[in-house]
Amino acid sequence: MRVDAVKMIDVETLHGSLSDTPYQANRVLSLLSVMFNWAMKHGWREGNPAKGIKYFPEKERERAIKLLALTGARKAEVLGAKWTEFDGLNGNDPTWTIPAIRTKKARMVVRHLDPETVALLKSIPTNGSYLFPSPKVPGKPLADIKRAWQRVKWEAGIDLEDAEQEKAVIHTLRHTVARHIVSDGGELLTARDQLGQTSLKSTQRYAKLAPGKMRETMTAFGKKLGKAARAG
């Protein structure tokens, strides 16, 4: 079949025929999408027949990405997470304690978990010591979620062929968490501790991303100072 004769139904049929192995089926769909984009660039066809076809769910990898988005943890911290690191999931102060041996700065990190994160953790089946065990290597954690992340970006409408949009990497989720902590009124110390950073120097960059909050803080300070001056 000529490349310009392939229709969406052809790609859907192929993808559907691999439904028993969703991970492999999604990799085939991703590869076809890249190939058709390449063909479009060279004028060999119009339109991408793979675009718009929904990927099969890959729950394990999707949960890992969601945990990254909720906690601001590093990818290695999430993929290597063990059930023994979590405490109080049914209590008032659920925490995730990452031992120093697993952190970038070789320093123990304690993250306090919100209800959304706790609900996510409770939805993960317990299958061994790791939250995300490898489907290929028994006793080992999931190795990578790069392709699942590509799928998330695809479904979010991010153009994978656009150099600027392609800069949205998995680590971007970490920056997003920090930015929201600061923008929503959290202290830099809170952002530092949640991210597991060792100093405020690395965290201070996020203050620049929240000028509105800084302006609000200084406005409130100005009003307080003015009130005190008038009272005096």
Side-chain angles (χ1 to χ4, degrees):
M1 182 181 291
R2 289 171 54 92
V3 67
D4 60 348
V6 179
K7 296 181 171 55
M8 179 181 280
I9 187 62
D10 299 318
V11 181
E12 282 182 320
T13 300
L14 174 61
H15 186 237
S17 70
L18 300 171
S19 60
D20 289 341
T21 54
Y23 179 78
Q24 285 77 9
N26 291 341
R27 300 297 78 75
V28 169
L29 183 57
S30 294
L31 177 60
L32 287 174
S33 182
V34 171
M35 291 171 63
F36 285 124
N37 278 336
W38 190 82
M40 288 168 58
K41 279 187 176 181
H42 288 77
W44 294 352
R45 66 164 294 126
E46 293 184 5
N48 184 340
K51 192 169 185 177
I53 298 176
K54 293 200 173 201
Y55 287 83
F56 292 123
E58 295 177 32
K59 291 184 179 180
E60 189 175 58
R61 290 171 174 80
E62 290 171 359
R63 286 172 177 141
I65 290 173
K66 188 172 182 180
L67 187 58
L68 284 165
L70 286 169
T71 63
R74 293 183 172 87
K75 183 179 70 172
E77 294 172 347
V78 166
L79 296 186
K82 293 184 176 183
W83 287 110
T84 52
E85 296 172 1
F86 296 87
D87 187 51
L89 296 184
N90 293 314
N92 295 323
D93 186 23
T95 57
W96 176 15
T97 303
I98 307 175
I101 196 173
R102 288 213 316 108
T103 65
K104 183 178 179 180
K105 301 295 183 179
R107 170 178 167 269
M108 184 179 73
V109 174
V110 179
R111 287 191 170 89
H112 294 272
L113 307 175
D114 66 284
E116 185 75 19
T117 303
V118 171
L120 170 64
L121 291 169
K122 289 183 176 181
S123 74
I124 300 174
T126 304
N127 183 21
S129 59
Y130 291 103
L131 267 68
F132 307 109
S134 169
K136 297 180 179 179
V137 186
K140 295 291 184 179
L142 195 63
D144 199 18
I145 50 174
K146 183 178 179 180
R147 293 194 180 278
W149 174 243
Q150 292 293 92
R151 190 184 75 254
V152 168
K153 291 198 293 183
W154 172 272
E155 293 180 348
I158 295 176
D159 186 355
L160 303 184
E161 298 298 316
D162 186 297
E164 284 301 313
Q165 293 190 41
E166 181 62 11
K167 290 180 181 178
V169 297
I170 292 175
H171 198 74
T172 303
L173 295 174
R174 183 172 164 84
H175 298 314
T176 302
V177 170
R179 179 170 59 84
H180 279 289
I181 289 175
V182 177
S183 297
D184 291 343
E187 297 179 356
L188 286 176
L189 285 172
T190 301
R192 181 200 66 182
D193 292 345
Q194 181 65 19
L195 295 180
Q197 294 175 328
T198 56
S199 71
L200 280 175
K201 185 176 181 181
S202 298
T203 316
Q204 283 174 337
R205 77 181 93 167
Y206 302 114
K208 299 177 182 179
L209 299 176
K213 193 61 189 178
M214 295 174 68
R215 185 163 47 251
E216 181 183 323
T217 300
M218 294 311 296
T219 298
F221 173 72
K223 288 181 178 179
K224 183 183 293 186
L225 190 63
K227 184 178 180 181
R230 287 191 296 273

